[in-house]
Structures are given as C-alpha cells and as structure tokens.
Amino acid sequence: MIRHSSSLFTNPYAIQVLRTKKEELVQGINDPEQLLHWLVENGIFTPEKKLVLSFYRTRTAKNSRVLDILISQGERACRLFFYPCLKQVEPKLYSKIRKYVSEVNESIGDARRQLVGYLLEKDKVWFENSSEQHQGNKDRPGGKKHKGALKKKGKETPLSRATKPRKDPAAVDIFAAVAKGSLPELEKTMKDNDLNVLNPSSETLLHVAAARGHLSIVAHLLSKGARTGVKDRRGRTALHRAAQKGHGGAVRLLLRAGASMHALDVEGKTALHWAAENHHSHIVSMLLKEEARSCRNQHTFLHMAALRDESSLAKMLLEAGASTEGKDERGQTALSYAVSQGYENTAKVLLEAGATVDSNTVERAFNSNHPSIFKVLLEYSKDLSADIKELALFRAVQKNLHSVVAALIDRGTDVNAHNKKHYTPLLLACEMGKAESAEVLVEKGAKLGIRTPAADTALHLAAQAGAAAIAAVLLSRGMDTNARNQAEQTPLHVAALRNRGALVGLLLSAGARVNAATKDSATPLHIASHRGHADAARQLLLHKAPVNAQDKQAKSPLHLAAEQGHRTLAEMLLKARADPNAQDKEKKTPLHAAALRGHLSIVELLLAKKGRAGAKDMDGCTPLHYATVKGNADILKLLLAAGKNKNINDRNVWRKTALHIAAEYGHGELINVLLSHGAAINALDSSRDTALHCACRAGHLSAVSALLSWAQGEKANVLAENSLRKTPLQVAECSKTENQAQILTLLRKKMLIAK
C-alpha cells in the first residue's frame, strides 16, 4: 500500500491562496473544459463530477464552482490544482500566482511557512518503508522521476494507485485460472493479498471474470471482498466489462454487490453506454430497472444522455422503459437539460416519447443560446396548454423571436393575452422596442386600443422606448397621437421626457398637438427644458412650440432650464424669443432661479439677454438676495456689475439687505465683497437688527470678524440697539452657539470692556 506522509499535508496555505485569489482565478481561467480534463486526468475530480459541471453555462460560473469544490476537498486537491493542472492549461496565470506566492514567502521569512514547496511543486508519493520505495523506483520505467507521476495523464490517480501490477509467475497463474473459469484452480493458487492484484493492463481478477461471464468466479471474488470500483487503464470497472460483453448474470451479481452504474471511464461512458453500443438490450433494461429501484430523485441515464446530446441512446432508453418525467436532485427532467443546451435531436426524441413541456422548460428554452429550440418544442410537443403557450408568447416577444411569435399565434395562442403586469404581447413589444415582434402582432390582429394599468397606449410605450419603427406602424394603423394616460401625458410628452427627437418629429408630423398640457399644465417643451433634452426641444421649437407657455406654477420653459442649469436649452429658448424676465406665481424670474441654484453660466446668459438684476419677487427679494443665500461670490459680483451697484441695499419685505443675509448665513467673504461695493454696514431690518446683530444671533464667527474688522468708511455700530433694545453683545450673550465665547471676546475687545 502507498500512503502519504501526514506531516506533509497539514499546511493550510494552498486553500488560503485559492480563497484569496479566487476572483482573479475565476476571471483568468479561459478554458474551463481543458482544466476539467486535467483535473480528471490527475485524479482530483471524477468524470462524474465533470459531467455535472457541464450544467453551468457561463465560463465564470463554471470556474467559480470548480474552485469551490477544490476548496471543499482540502489542501491536497488545491495544491494539485495549481500544479500540474493550472500550469498546463493557463501557464501565464500560473506564473502570476507563483509570483504572488513567492512574494508572500519573502515577506513571511519563516521556513516552516514557506508556500512554494507545498503549493506549486510536484506531489510526492511516500511508501511505507524505504526498501519498497527503492524497489518501486527500480522496477518502474523512469522510476527516478516518480515525483512527476501526476503530470502524466492519469497514470497515478488514486484508483489506479490502489495496487501495483504484479509480474511474478503466481500472479500470472491466478489470472490464467480466472480466464479459464476454473474456480478450483483459482482457490488453490490465490492468497489473501491477491484479491485486488492488477495485471499489466491494470485489470483486477474481477475485471477478467466479469468480461468472460464466469459467474461462479465473480460470486467467489465478491464474497471475498473484491472491490467493484477499481478501474483499469481505460477507466472501466468490472461492471463496464460485463455490460460491454452482454453478460447479464455478471451484471446482476455486480449490481447486488453495490457496483456503481454511473461510473464513467476515460471516454466518459457508463456501463449502460457500452451495453447500448453493443446492442445488449437486456443489459440496458436491467440497468434501467436497477436505476429506477435505487436512484430516485437522482441524475439518471436519461439525464446523462440529454446532457451529452446522445439522441440514439435516449431513444433506446425510452424504448426500454425509461420515464421522460423523472427528475434529478435539481428538480430537472431530461428534456429541460436538452433544451438548456439547445440539443434539438435529443429534445425531439424526448418530446416524441411524450415528455411534458412545463413553464420551467419554456424558460430554459428562451434562456438558452439556441432560439430555434423553442420551435422544436412547439412542433414536437403533443399537447401544450394554453397557459404554457401564452407564457411562451411573452417570452418570445422579450427575445424578439418574431418567427416564434407568429408560429404561436398560428397555433391558436391568444394574441391579446394578459401577463401578470396586465400587459398584452403588443404592449410588451412596444415597451421593449421589439419592432419585428410588434409588427407581427399587429399583422396578426393585436388590438391597438388596450392600455396598461397606468393608461399608457402602445404608442406611449413605443415613444418611451424610442422605437420609431413601431410608432410608424401604429400610426399607419390610425392610432390616436393625442391619447392621454393617467398623468394626462400624450405620447409627445413621453417622447420629450425620454429625449426621443426622431419620435417627436414623427408624432408632430402625424398630428400630435405641440401645446398639449398635462395635469400640471406642462407642455412637452416644459418637460424637455426641465430635463435638458436638446434634441426633443429642437424638434418642438421647429414645430412652433409656445416658448413662453406657463405651467401650473406659472413657470415658463426658461424658468425650468435656468433652475436645472441647462445652458444649451436656455440658449435655444432665448433664441426662440423666450422672455428672460417672465415671472412665475411667486414673481420669480429665471434670473432668480439661476442665482438661487448657483448656475453662474445661466446668470451670465440671462444678464446678457437683458435679464433684470433688480427684479423683485413676491417677498421683495432680488437675484442678489438669492446669490447671497447661496454664497456664490462670482454670481454676486456679476449681479452687482450688471446693476452698477444700484441694487446693493435693496430690501426685501423683512427689510433685509443682502448684507443682512450674508451675515445670517455666515458668508464672511461675501460680507467683504458687499461692503467693498458700498453696502450699508449699519442698515436696519424690520426688527432694527443690523448685520452684526444677525451674525451674533447665528453664531457665525467669520461674519462677526468681517464686520468688526471693516475699516473703510463707516464702521459696524457695536452699540446699536434693536427693537428689543439689545446690542450685538447682548444678542451674542443670549445665543448659545458653538462660537459664542470667541464672538463675545471679539465684541468686548471692540468695546474696550475686556482688557
């Protein structure tokens, strides 16, 4: 027996590296199939595991699952993954990982924790004693290179290493006795340790007896404990050999002894494959019955045939009694696997045998990369329910498989069916912009008047998707261009909202009203201006959209463009003679809106187009007040220059100047700008507060400091009393703010109270 020295395999770092670099490995492995081949060749994965992994369709999903399995199998599997498998399949990625590991080694600097030897070097095989090791090296060709045994495709897998071929005369006599079928001779020559001996072809005695159908010898070997899972050089078990030769009795004995029906040889074939290829139908039936008895809710031969597109095998299995409705541990039928992979021939065989097409199968058909597979379902399925056909119709529309859409309708599917969202296929096609499917649906009689729960028509949805081709078809069929949804929007509003310039032009040419208004009195131009949609706005203006129309708040499109800072839109609107001084319900002009939002370029544009810097809203605030609130010095300077400083001391309804507001909001820099342009430092508001009172109340140290340090012209009056007869100092004493102590110190120094 060969064993591994336990001391060599306690190092955890291969797993740690794999986990740390998992994301990089998932993305970097470009050929999962080749990697899986090497993992199987080197005994890390079984062929069965490789077959199961074929269920994962994308490269990254398959890579991720492979790495998860390796991690779960432990340190040794992870090490062998890196060397030799990854080295062979992805040498650049292998080198990158090796470099990373080497850098970790260098940083660790501890020989006991070195990673390279454990992670990236060849696996070592250890014998129980050195003499056996020495003899093994001498007897084996190339024995000195035994460390690289794993590199040679599958020659040292765990199963094939179980026992070494025997070359002594006694072993030859044993195999000769089995080949002749002589049980007495076998009993006379066989010793206890010869039970699982291998011949030069890596066959056991059980392999030879099963291949020749010697039942008495098979029974004798099994009674002595012969292992049924040992594989020869071709990866075949004794059950493979018995099935291949058609020896039903041997197959029966092996199955009773627990032989695996689903074991795969190096060609990926089971015992059933060999029985089927050699037309041993009685063996096929026997294996199927055993599978039905012992493997419920598991992966079956029929599933396997479907996954491998073995249509002729599937047909044979079905003729032998395999059920089309059997589900594996994933809840999948053979048909669902064939459909997922796009295997049309196998799907046809299963459907002709009566396989049921359910919603899961339909989903798999449309999610596969083989659109034509659904046509197979449609043509060969014996009976598709109305629900399934309706589900398929919606999925065909989503995938824009217009030929499938037509075929379904021709087979009686309701063209005006509703899905869970209460959409018809036509509404769905319009929303998704599936022009070919929409055209087919219209030709097949889809009703144009059906609406969504939000009262959108097909034309609304086409406008939303920017589907000009669909809109043209709908308009050619006489669809109303001015139909309104729940928000009183027309398709033109929707096109403006989505900036569908081509559709805007198409709708207007077809009679859409350019000045149609929503519940909020918004025209399509309002919507385009608010969103900054220049393409849509350009088309609307070309068709004479009312540029100064007012919405529910009396805002013009220019107000909305100014609020949002859309300079291109503002330029377009002004060029179309939009009024730069239009007032909304609060008497704000576009200049107020731009100043409040801090849009410098819009302020520049509006002032250049004669926007009034001194215009007052219903609160008496000028754009200067709002620029001060925002704290934008550049806009402030622009407005002051435009008004030649005439409006610097304008007061709002609370008699506050821009200086009061700068003090209240703590904009020390703006205070200096305002004062340098002639703002009255001691102007009183309606509460007789000066700017200094306001700064002290709000606790803005920078504002207080700016006001107290102003030395050009009139100075801040520190003794001024407001309507409550309080000075700035008294106001500061009553205002518990973060900067209160510093403000009090400044004021007292100024008043010469503190020393």
Side-chain angles (χ1 to χ4, degrees), residues 528-568:
S529 300
H530 182 257
R531 294 298 183 101
H533 291 162
D535 290 345
R538 191 174 292 108
Q539 286 294 325
L540 290 164
L541 291 170
L542 264 173
H543 286 79
K544 309 302 180 187
V547 74
N548 290 311
Q550 294 183 321
D551 66 10
K552 200 171 184 179
Q553 302 301 319
K555 293 180 187 292
S556 68
L558 186 57
H559 276 96
L560 301 176
E563 282 179 2
Q564 301 302 318
H566 300 313
R567 183 182 174 100
T568 301

Side-chain angles (χ1 to χ4, degrees), residues 243-264:
Q244 181 183 15
K245 298 295 184 179
H247 299 311
V251 168
R252 190 174 291 107
L253 286 174
L254 288 164
L255 289 174
R256 286 176 184 169
S260 172
M261 294 178 291
H262 299 111
L264 300 178

Side-chain angles (χ1 to χ4, degrees), residues 598-651:
H599 299 312
L600 177 63
S601 65
I602 304 292
V603 171
E604 286 177 329
L605 181 64
L606 291 167
L607 288 173
K609 294 294 182 178
K610 300 186 179 178
R612 292 198 301 270
K616 290 193 173 185
D617 65 9
M618 63 189 301
D619 293 322
C621 292
T622 65
L624 191 65
H625 284 90
Y626 288 121
T628 308
V629 169
K630 191 69 179 176
N632 194 312
D634 292 332
I635 292 179
L636 190 72
K637 291 172 184 175
L638 265 179
L639 292 167
L640 288 171
K644 298 180 180 178
N645 300 334
K646 289 178 183 177
N647 308 111
I648 195 163
N649 290 312
D650 281 357
R651 299 166 185 272

